[in-house]
Amino acid sequence: MTSTTSASCLLSSAVLTKVFVALLSIFGPAQGLRHSDPAGDLQLLQVDLSAEKEESIWEDDKISLAEGNSFETSAGKLCVEGKHVPQLYVLGAAKTGTTSLADDLMQNNTVPAVPGVNEKEFQFFNPYYNSNTPTNYSMAPARLEAMRQHWLDHMPPCAEESVDAPQVIADYSVDNLRFVPMPSGGLEEGKAVFNDFNLPSVLQNFYQQQNYISELVFVVMIREPLARFQSHWYYGQEWTRKYEDIPKGEFDQELSRQIQQAANEKVYNFRLWASMYGAQLQTWLHRFSASQFMFIPTQSYSASTEDRLTVLNELSARLNTPFQLQRSAPAKRSNPSQHPKLSEDVTPGNAAMFNRFMEKDHQLLLELLAQASLKGAYLGGYTGRPGSTGDIDSWLRAKWNAR
């Protein structure tokens, strides 16, 4: 088997992909938000963030994780109707170190990616990349089956049994993490197609027919939310202008605008939403066992070669697949974005406003990780007490900043 199965059904040209992403990166919501003092009254930011969806999010007393025994993986390919389907999902988030992880796993064809919009990301579930993916995301059985068949069309065949044929393939699409039901208000204009999409539920449907649900392994990389947001914003600008052409203070103004839009109008920019880990993970952990997840703060992977190999050894064991990696290679950082130091790019008032807005989501994240740590989840570099939100908070703050 090779990893060169045609991706032409997704997009016919890498050039077109870059042009398309460039257009997306500059698309934004309408202006005219009402003004508020970024360092002003905290009451402005006390927003009702509950949502009447299949899984309620941000509701204080409704944090529940999927029940079930520890997952077990069996050596060998996951084959569905003659197609080799992904066992590993590196869900995201964008700009947290996922490309470095993917580069390590894809070397020597160890864990190749499903071919997609580029050599790393499949992006099947993102209609902005894949024009063939339905944009209404109907959960009706007929629509789900049509989507599943289209998904299978992109998978490599299972037939190859050569010595070098990989036993595991992966979906490294970093947008997948955020494809969960949104809070009321949803994403800004132009992205609202995603408001009700429930990718965890879709994947359950795709894998349950072969009883493969418990075979899946999910990796979630986590970076300090504001630093991740900043890196993601500058990455988007790279498609349309040079770094030196970005006016000083523009990101700080955009940060203020997006936080006020979310707080006052309950409408979210997709890059801000991508930093709201708690809300996203609640849906994933409701659908899949916590023991299927690996949570890796950025520095728990990229700080040193030893840290990197510790994570890779754990992942190899969870996939029940030996990795043939260059273990003497130094830790590297792939796909970095050029941007100023955060302290030089964001005013103290806007940083404080961002942290106040994110506090509820951060507390939810701590509760979810605390419960997950008691149910078999892997927390990279964590040496604290299982179930301790305080210890997990300290671990995150020490490990999730990129150097």
Side-chain angles (χ1 to χ4, degrees):
M1 180 189 70
T2 67
S3 59
T4 58
T5 301
S6 173
S8 60
C9 293
L10 291 173
L11 281 179
S12 61
S13 169
V15 175
L16 288 176
T17 300
K18 284 198 171 186
V19 172
F20 196 58
V21 175
L23 293 173
L24 293 175
S25 70
I26 60 175
F27 187 84
Q31 302 296 314
L33 299 174
R34 57 181 179 274
H35 174 74
S36 61
D37 180 3
D41 189 357
L42 179 62
Q43 183 64 33
L44 174 71
L45 300 175
Q46 292 179 345
V47 185
D48 178 12
L49 296 175
S50 62
E52 294 182 358
K53 302 290 184 183
E54 181 183 1
E55 291 89 33
S56 297
I57 55 180
W58 285 301
E59 292 185 1
D60 295 337
D61 298 323
K62 292 186 178 181
I63 299 176
S64 62
L65 275 65
E67 297 297 330
N69 299 323
S70 298
F71 82 105
E72 295 182 0
T73 59
S74 56
K77 302 174 182 177
L78 299 191
C79 293
V80 176
E81 298 176 20
K83 293 299 187 78
H84 190 183
V85 298
Q87 183 178 358
L88 172 63
Y89 284 84
V90 177
L91 297 174
K95 310 310 296 181
T96 60
T98 58
T99 302
S100 297
L101 174 62
D103 284 350
D104 285 337
L105 291 173
M106 290 190 295
Q107 67 175 265
N108 302 324
N109 208 33
T110 300
V111 185
V114 180
V117 301
N118 56 43
E119 64 181 11
K120 173 194 171 193
E121 299 192 24
F122 183 30
Q123 290 289 7
F124 173 84
F125 299 105
N126 190 337
Y128 286 101
Y129 293 99
N130 181 5
S131 60
N132 293 314
T133 298
T135 55
N136 63 356
Y137 290 122
S138 169
M139 300 298 285
R143 293 291 291 166
L144 275 174
E145 179 57 22
M147 187 189 293
R148 189 181 76 91
Q149 289 297 329
H150 181 46
W151 175 74
L152 286 172
D153 287 343
H154 295 289
M155 300 299 163
C158 257
E160 186 172 351
E161 295 295 342
S162 69
V163 175
D164 296 329
Q167 296 300 299
V168 175
I169 62 173
D171 186 340
Y172 296 107
S173 306
V174 296
D175 289 325
N176 284 344
L177 180 63
R178 60 184 175 89
F179 291 159
V180 298
M182 291 287 300
S184 57
L187 291 171
E188 62 195 7
E189 184 181 356
K191 302 284 185 179
V193 64
F194 300 114
N195 285 352
D196 298 316
F197 186 37
N198 191 329
L199 181 55
S201 178
V202 170
L203 290 181
Q204 274 194 324
N205 176 275
F206 283 11
Y207 284 89
Q208 68 183 356
Q209 295 182 29
Q210 280 72 31
N211 295 318
Y212 281 158
I213 291 176
S214 63
E215 300 271 357
L216 301 181
V217 176
F218 300 99
V219 174
V220 178
M221 299 192 72
I222 304 173
R223 183 177 179 181
E224 192 280 318
L226 182 53
R228 195 221 65 81
F229 184 18
Q230 181 206 31
S231 181
H232 200 178
W233 186 84
Y234 277 94
Y235 176 75
Q237 308 313 303
E238 292 175 6
W239 296 94
T240 58
R241 52 182 171 168
K242 297 179 180 179
Y243 170 72
E244 54 267 25
D245 293 336
I246 300 174
K248 182 176 175 59
E250 183 174 334
F251 172 72
D252 192 50
Q253 295 173 8
E254 182 67 9
L255 172 66
S256 175
R257 184 188 70 79
Q258 292 185 15
I259 292 296
Q260 291 181 57
Q261 177 179 255
N264 297 334
E265 303 184 10
K266 301 182 182 179
V267 175
Y268 302 83
N269 175 271
F270 77 99
R271 294 189 182 97
L272 175 64
W273 171 241
S275 283
M276 301 175 76
Y277 309 124
Q280 298 163 39
L281 286 173
Q282 186 167 14
T283 302
W284 285 98
L285 288 167
H286 179 81
R287 288 285 177 176
F288 296 97
S289 170
S291 63
Q292 294 175 252
F293 285 81
M294 296 178 64
F295 298 103
I296 307 170
T298 297
Q299 281 302 304
S300 289
Y301 191 76
S302 61
S304 70
T305 299
E306 181 180 357
D307 290 337
R308 182 170 61 102
L309 294 180
T310 297
V311 170
L312 293 173
N313 283 331
E314 176 69 24
L315 182 55
S316 175
R318 285 174 173 255
L319 292 170
N320 199 13
T321 301
F323 287 172
Q324 307 256 332
L325 299 170
Q326 299 174 6
R327 297 185 178 274
S328 60
K332 63 183 185 300
R333 185 180 172 200
S334 301
N335 197 30
S337 298
Q338 186 177 7
H339 54 75
K341 291 182 179 179
L342 196 60
S343 60
E344 298 173 356
D345 204 28
V346 177
T347 58
N350 281 347
M353 180 173 67
F354 179 89
N355 290 332
R356 290 197 301 270
F357 175 79
M358 294 293 291
E359 180 59 26
K360 199 165 189 177
D361 187 77
H362 181 67
Q363 292 303 318
L364 175 58
L365 174 64
L366 296 181
E367 291 289 343
L368 290 169
L369 292 179
Q371 291 191 35
S373 71
L374 295 169
K375 296 188 175 184
Y378 173 80
L379 278 60
Y382 182 65
T383 58
R385 295 166 294 173
S388 170
T389 56
D391 287 356
I392 289 173
D393 190 31
S394 297
W395 162 73
L396 279 177
R397 295 182 189 279
K399 297 283 188 180
W400 69 1
N401 283 304
R403 292 177 181 172

